[in-house]
Amino acid sequence: MAATTMQSRLASLARTLRPCSFSSSTADPAKIDIPRTLAGLRARLAEESPTLTDFFDHGGGYSVEVGTKKKPLPKPKWMKEAIPGGERYVQIKKKLRELKLHTVCEEAKCPNLGECWSGGETGTATATIMILGDTCTRGCRFCNVKTSRSPPPPDPNEPSNVAEAIASWGLDYVVITSVDRDDLPDQGSAHFTETVQKLKALKPDMLIEALVPDFRGDASCVEKVAKSGLDVFAHNIETVEGLQSVVRDHRANFKQSLDVLMMAKDHAPSGTLTKTSIMLGCGETPDQVVKTMEKVRAAGVDVMTFGQYMRPSKRHMPVSEYITPEAFEKYRTIGMDMGFRYVASGPMVRSSYKAGEFYIKSMIESDRAASLQSPLS
């Protein structure tokens, strides 16, 4: 039944995104004898015309152009950003400045900053705190965070300051992330662990997501953080497998990132969710997106998010295209059919995304309630 549903929705992706000029050449799915498995569904896509790659090559409903240097096009209407504001936003920003703390929300110029800090429509107020300083040892082509081979040493008081600040804000869900610290012997994993543990001591009921670097694949670092008491272990693969070397720093790669997510699942207590995210609009094809999703799901990842890549400045990697909301929705549907427990997918979605965190919060609470009612508990 699940395979049939996914087959229908993958076919729907083709119908929704294809240009009109292809409509007469589309094969009848009922006449193609292919096993109802995930591999079979991908084979069906290959048989049907147009293919996912056709959508990428010929436009249609998949994306819009970004223009050229001489003739830049304005952002599409769905990429308009809201101006941050509100009482809680002002309160959080003031406290951050007082304690000299950093947020990836500000460093990365996230378009959802005001919505997340205020709670937005769901009322689940979230913030993403960046620890280990504001200077990264890596230089990914998409990232706006400062880089240096020798950043300043971490502030030993930062875990306590972060925990006290977050505990005073009345947040429901917090994401703790960091820059890469290849210069440190443990790459900052102990600092991560201490921050999570201090915050849990002050606010046991607060849900904590740790969005961590790859720790260069060091299993001991991953284990330390996975067992720190967090609720969600997140690590972003950032882009499709085929574009890793183009988008990310040379010290990062797809296999290493998947290994980190699998190690976290092995070491973390039962019920801990794993999560990853990729940016679209970097030059990937739809078929590459689907194949990457398959590998991520096979690695046991629970939650996946998709968002539009936005160029932070002219010295960063240019946007290849703006993906339409309809295409993002199709990826969300395909992801849920693949077995992800939750997929957040949309032009304005970021890896730390308030709307997604609202659903993750509900999912964790539901899991815990079910565990308490289980006769084995």
Side-chain angles (χ1 to χ4, degrees):
M1 184 67 175
T4 302
T5 301
M6 184 175 177
Q7 171 184 317
S8 173
R9 289 178 174 172
L10 283 169
S12 175
L13 175 64
R15 289 194 298 271
T16 300
L17 301 182
R18 70 172 182 262
C20 294
S21 60
F22 288 101
S23 58
S24 62
S25 61
T26 304
D28 182 359
K31 296 179 180 179
I32 302 175
D33 186 18
I34 296 176
R36 293 184 177 182
T37 63
L38 187 56
L41 294 176
R42 287 193 57 233
R44 178 184 292 280
L45 283 176
E47 287 288 335
E48 295 180 3
S49 178
T51 66
L52 287 171
T53 305
D54 288 328
F55 312 142
F56 176 80
D57 290 339
H58 299 284
Y62 181 77
S63 65
V64 298
E65 296 179 353
V66 297
T68 64
K69 277 188 176 182
K70 292 184 178 180
K71 293 184 178 181
L73 296 177
K75 293 179 186 177
K77 60 184 179 181
W78 60 80
M79 292 302 300
K80 301 303 180 184
E81 301 173 11
I83 299 174
E87 184 178 344
R88 184 173 281 178
Y89 166 82
V90 174
Q91 173 196 358
I92 291 176
K93 187 165 186 175
K94 181 180 178 182
K95 195 70 174 179
L96 286 167
R97 299 293 82 82
E98 288 175 359
L99 295 175
K100 298 181 180 179
L101 299 178
H102 307 281
T103 67
V104 75
C105 318
E106 295 171 294
E107 296 288 338
K109 300 179 181 178
C110 180
N112 305 309
L113 187 153
E115 183 186 10
C116 291
W117 287 12
S118 66
E121 295 178 1
T122 66
T124 301
T126 67
T128 303
I129 301 297
M130 189 164 69
I131 62 174
L132 291 165
D134 64 349
T135 305
C136 187
T137 53
R138 298 189 185 180
C140 297
R141 293 188 64 210
F142 63 88
C143 186
N144 195 51
V145 175
K146 292 182 290 187
T147 63
S148 171
R149 291 181 181 178
S150 303
D155 178 1
N157 297 318
E158 188 175 54
S160 296
N161 287 341
V162 167
E164 290 172 12
I166 295 173
S168 70
W169 289 339
L171 298 174
D172 305 288
Y173 189 114
V174 66
V175 182
I176 299 173
T177 190
S178 78
V179 291
D180 281 280
R181 292 302 301 257
D182 300 288
D183 59 313
L184 301 176
D186 73 343
Q187 298 162 78
S189 57
H191 203 81
F192 246 111
T193 300
E194 184 182 358
T195 303
V196 172
Q197 291 174 340
K198 285 185 178 294
L199 181 53
K200 277 291 186 179
L202 292 174
K203 297 284 285 188
D205 295 332
M206 179 179 286
L207 298 181
I208 301 176
E209 174 181 325
L211 175 56
V212 304
D214 60 25
F215 299 126
R216 289 201 166 186
D218 188 322
S220 63
C221 294
V222 176
E223 181 178 3
K224 194 182 302 178
V225 177
K227 292 181 176 179
S228 64
L230 51 75
D231 301 283
V232 181
F233 184 105
H235 170 65
N236 292 341
I237 60 172
E238 307 295 5
T239 187
V240 297
E241 184 176 9
L243 292 180
Q244 293 282 313
S245 61
V246 176
V247 174
R248 304 175 77 189
D249 185 275
H250 67 91
R251 285 161 285 190
N253 63 76
F254 187 74
K255 182 182 184 304
Q256 182 167 271
S257 288
L258 278 193
D259 287 345
V260 166
L261 289 162
M262 288 189 287
M263 286 187 282
K265 181 65 79 173
D266 290 339
H267 293 303
S270 176
T272 304
L273 300 178
T274 52
K275 175 184 173 185
T276 195
S277 177
I278 67 173
M279 304 169 291
L280 300 181
C282 299
E284 72 288 331
T285 67
D287 190 54
Q288 285 178 314
V289 176
V290 174
K291 288 177 180 177
T292 299
M293 291 168 69
E294 290 172 359
K295 292 187 177 182
V296 169
R297 182 67 199 113
V301 175
D302 301 294
V303 178
M304 193 167 189
T305 71
F306 299 87
Q308 172 69 51
Y309 166 62
M310 296 300 297
R311 190 182 197 182
S313 75
K314 290 183 179 180
R315 60 186 177 83
H316 289 85
M317 178 181 72
V319 177
S320 291
E321 57 188 346
Y322 291 113
I323 310 304
T324 64
E326 292 78 13
F328 274 107
E329 174 58 21
K330 288 301 177 182
Y331 288 133
R332 187 197 68 80
T333 301
I334 290 172
M336 293 301 294
D337 286 340
M338 281 185 183
F340 288 103
R341 294 198 61 190
Y342 178 72
V343 179
S345 182
M348 303 297 279
V349 169
R350 296 297 177 262
S351 58
S352 304
Y353 182 59
K354 181 267 311 168
E357 285 147 17
F358 168 73
Y359 289 106
I360 292 171
K361 176 175 180 284
S362 301
M363 196 160 56
I364 291 172
E365 290 171 348
S366 175
D367 287 350
R368 289 177 179 172
S371 176
L372 290 173
Q373 294 173 4
S374 171
L376 297 177
S377 61

